[in-house]
Amino acid sequence: MMKRTIIFSLATLGLLSAFAEEPAMDKKYPYPFKYSDVTSDNISVVPIDRVIKDWGGNVLMWGEPAISEIQVGELNLNQRRIKEKIRKGREDGVRLYFGSLFFVPHSMYFKYMACDPTLQQACIRDIEGKPMYLNWMKKHTYRGVPLYWMCSNNPRSQEFYREIVTAGIEAGYDGFCIEEPRGSLMSLHVGGCFCDHCVNGFNEYLGKKYSPEELKKKGIPSLENFDYRNMVKKVAPNRDVWPAAYRKGKIPLVQDYKDYQLKAGAAVVKEMSELAKKLGGEDTAIGAFGHMLSPDWMVNAEHLDFYCMELLLGPPPEGFSRAGFTYEVARALGKPVSWGHVLPPSWNYMQANKAYNMMKSWIGFSYASGHNFGIPHYGWVHPNANAVSWDKVVKSVDGAVAPSFIYPTENCLPFYHFVTAHAELFDGYEAVEQVGVLHSNPAMRIKKNENRVRDLCWELMKANIPYGLALAGDDWLYKRLNETDLERFEFVVVPEPTMLDAEQQSVLDTWTARGKTVVWKNLDDVLARLDPVVSLESKHNMLIRPRTNSDNSNVPAVIHLLNMDYDLSKDCMNKQRDVVVRLSHKLLDGGKVSAITQYSPEYESVQVPFDVKPDGVYVTVPEVDYWSILKLDCD
């Protein structure tokens, strides 16, 4: 027991100071991926050979654990099987293999938990000390053992994570994807985790953050005999009354407890990332699940190389608003979204409306934004749910969720084949950032501010104004606003309040003094001082996403055209005809356009007419279905 207590103490030391520091070296975005990669999960309902050979998948995510199932002497037969699988996959063309590491257990781990009482004891516990089960799979068991919710702060859990990482690296995985990297915080909204390890760790946190006088003002005479559970029980004595008390803000010290749990989870991410890189080398890549990248999902960002995520996506155009902002946050962090999927409300909505072609628009939007979107095989849905909206949590009769929607994958395979066949239109091309938007993490931690900034960015995107985010961090986010950020933008839009610390506010004040900021009021203020690098000159519903490559003078830019005129009743796009787009000469990097070619999934490439004028190149595109790319050949 002493050994395990020490392990936990080491994991929690420095929670207040170990975060929000810029890493020594950032690897070039989109490391370790290519824009043209086609990703798939590695635990699919379809044979992996088919994913690779027929569907073009060259990056496989969520690989099964390589820890021992049946051991003969010192030989790990399971690890040997996975090692052979990876070897064969590489021969078949797989570029990267990633193992999975679930701080909240996935079904592939339940067999280990079911036969190991020590893992069962390492579970999330409520305010009364009772074990808790995964709330979205609460009716499931494995050989009669409930699906316990694992506490990431428990020494036995952390020992298990180390076993998974070590065995996976030895098997040959190129890295790991960590599901639910916030760890035990995931249970707070339903009344967990109040196990001994969490409560003891909270005492350490309080002792570092507050002086004895400050603690007394918070109702804590001394930490020596303080048990946070006793304080909480006065307003929420059991898990039944906890959710209402939590929503109404009645739980004492709850913001401190959330901050503690977030940073404790990030400390475990840091430890596992360092372990993987120590065993596998610095090129070992660590990613994490990052739902919508709100501030509490970015506390661990400094320890990551990429994200996988489930997104809220729906019918274009409004169905792109949330995901579009998330993509920009990930890009600003320099962490590509290497594998995209959608959340149960989106799957439920698609299933209820039989809107299978909607997936095509999501794939195009993701690649046009510089990210990858996983080949869809199946959806996690709420059975018996009333799927009236794509962006709201649906009410389910039984509360369970499972991969029970099998998607007709053949519908969208031509889109992945398109990416593979035209990799030269993706790799090396970066997003244009004409305008910056201040993303103040301290302000974004207040929900209404987060919504306001996201809506602002959606206004810019709908107006086809290429933007990027200037990240201003705090103790949750390691990025810091600096003078060189302005070099990427013509000017920066500033949503208020800024809530910056003195050093970052000074940077912003310097930009303002130079006339390089605009306080956000409405879109007109931005348009009034902007000569857009792209503009839609005809009356069509389109998103235009320009991407440039400074190393390719022959093709300095490609232009992604995304049709937004989706008809849900027909599950198809209303094709846009005779679309006129103006392209600024600034995109051409001094070149002169000699030809423009339109490439589209499921269509042959065609030359399109254009007219060079003093204010830009005017292109007339005869027809756009879901997604097209214009290739600009220059002399």
Side-chain angles (χ1 to χ4, degrees), residues 232-407:
V232 171
K233 285 179 182 178
K234 294 177 181 179
V235 294
N238 56 63
R239 73 174 71 168
D240 293 334
V241 300
W242 168 277
Y246 182 74
R247 287 195 305 270
K248 294 176 182 178
K250 293 184 177 181
I251 306 297
L253 301 182
V254 70
Q255 292 305 317
D256 278 320
Y257 203 65
K258 178 178 180 179
D259 186 63
Y260 151 69
Q261 287 283 21
L262 270 176
K263 291 173 179 176
V268 183
V269 171
K270 179 176 185 287
E271 180 187 352
M272 299 306 143
S273 176
E274 290 176 346
L275 175 62
K277 291 176 187 292
K278 178 182 178 181
L279 297 173
E282 280 302 311
D283 287 336
T284 302
I286 301 299
F289 182 83
H291 171 54
M292 305 306 283
L293 290 186
S294 55
D296 56 346
W297 286 95
M298 296 194 289
V299 179
N300 46 51
E302 64 189 294
H303 312 305
L304 303 175
D305 298 298
F306 65 92
Y307 284 109
C308 293
M309 59 179 58
E310 292 176 324
L311 299 151
L312 276 174
L313 281 159
E318 296 303 320
F320 287 0
S321 59
R322 297 192 183 195
F325 181 66
T326 301
Y327 285 148
E328 292 304 317
V329 175
R331 189 167 64 82
L333 286 169
K335 322 287 183 183
V337 179
S338 60
W339 179 89
H341 212 239
V342 293
L343 284 162
S346 299
W347 282 119
N348 275 94
Y349 188 80
M350 173 184 283
Q351 183 184 40
N353 289 281
K354 295 181 172 57
Y356 307 131
N357 285 322
M358 200 188 306
M359 183 70 69
K360 296 178 180 179
S361 69
W362 300 346
I363 296 167
F365 182 55
S366 181
Y367 278 102
S369 300
H371 301 282
N372 308 105
F373 196 88
I375 298 174
H377 308 302
Y378 54 83
W380 288 74
V381 301
H382 292 274
N384 308 312
N386 183 16
V388 296
S389 175
W390 59 269
D391 63 346
K392 291 182 175 61
V393 177
V394 292
K395 292 184 178 180
S396 177
V397 174
D398 55 12
V401 62
S404 53
F405 172 41
I406 306 302
Y407 178 77

Side-chain angles (χ1 to χ4, degrees), residues 89-104:
R90 295 206 191 286
E91 291 180 355
D92 290 339
V94 176
R95 203 168 64 79
L96 295 168
Y97 265 99
F98 290 92
S100 57
L101 179 61
F102 287 74
F103 284 2
V104 174

Side-chain angles (χ1 to χ4, degrees), residues 501-516:
D501 59 34
E503 184 176 350
Q504 294 182 100
Q505 185 63 47
S506 177
V507 172
L508 184 62
D509 290 344
T510 300
W511 295 354
T512 301
R514 293 172 56 189
K516 294 293 187 177

Side-chain angles (χ1 to χ4, degrees), residues 195-208:
C195 72
D196 290 343
H197 300 286
C198 288
V199 172
N200 291 339
F202 187 48
N203 278 15
E204 288 187 46
Y205 167 94
L206 291 172
K208 289 177 170 60

Side-chain angles (χ1 to χ4, degrees), residues 482-500:
N482 62 70
E483 292 285 354
T484 60
D485 285 338
L486 186 59
E487 297 172 3
R488 298 167 18 226
F489 316 117
E490 292 183 16
F491 57 89
V492 176
V493 178
V494 179
E496 294 184 323
T498 60
M499 299 176 66
L500 302 178

